[in-house]
């Protein structure tokens, strides 16, 4: 399962995921910018804003929501993904090169593989759902 682990943006001075250097629990925040949705631990709303500004300074923050639980779940059924899909190394490389920007990753996948838009979108979105 390690190869399916998602990249996480860890707040400064964190020793364990979801905990501060003092061992205090942090909240999980969903941060939406113009082009990205990030999920990360932060000790406050201000720190969540700082995380977004640090990683995507050119984008405006549209929404920040404190998650009610300590995990974030993506429903594969709601995304239209059925069956057991295996991760695609090419798609994951495109996502990495695009820094998680889905539209850019789709373009890169189309260039790299010669796929049409619909196929590239399906592959990139399914790999995002599995965590890249």
């Amino acid at each position: 399962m390690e190869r399916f682990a998602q990249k996480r943006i860890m707040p400064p001075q964190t020793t364990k995921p979801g905990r501060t250097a003092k061992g205090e629990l942090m909240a999980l925040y969903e941060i939406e910018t113009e082009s990205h949705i990030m999920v990360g631990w932060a000790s406050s709303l201000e720190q969540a804003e700082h995380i977004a500004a640090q990683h995507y300074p050119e984008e405006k923050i549209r929404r920040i929501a404190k998650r009610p639980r300590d995990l974030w779940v993506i429903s594969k059924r709601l995304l239209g993904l059925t069956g057991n899909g295996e991760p695609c190394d090419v798609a994951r490389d495109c996502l990495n090169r695009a820094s998680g920007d889905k539209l850019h990753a789709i373009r890169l996948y189309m260039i790299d593989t010669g796929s049409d838009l619909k196929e590239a979108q399906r592959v990139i979105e399914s790999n995002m759902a599995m965590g890249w």
Side-chain angles (χ1 to χ4, degrees), residues 39-114:
V39 178
W41 284 289
S43 56
S44 65
L45 180 67
E46 291 78 21
Q47 188 182 21
E49 290 173 350
H50 175 73
I51 290 169
Q54 179 183 9
H55 293 282
Y56 296 99
E58 67 283 352
E59 294 185 30
K60 290 182 182 178
I61 297 172
R62 290 188 174 200
R63 179 179 60 85
I64 297 181
K66 187 175 178 181
R67 300 298 298 176
R69 297 184 179 90
D70 62 351
L71 68 125
W72 192 46
V73 178
I74 300 172
S75 171
K76 290 171 39 177
R77 184 177 304 150
L78 287 176
L79 292 175
L81 305 173
T82 57
N84 293 330
E86 285 296 316
C88 172
D89 291 334
V90 175
R92 288 169 180 269
D93 179 57
C94 292
L95 281 161
N96 192 37
R97 291 181 0 229
S99 299
D101 183 330
K102 182 175 87 171
L103 294 177
H104 187 54
I106 289 170
R107 286 187 210 105
L108 290 172
Y109 188 84
M110 289 171 62
I111 292 167
D112 289 358
T113 65

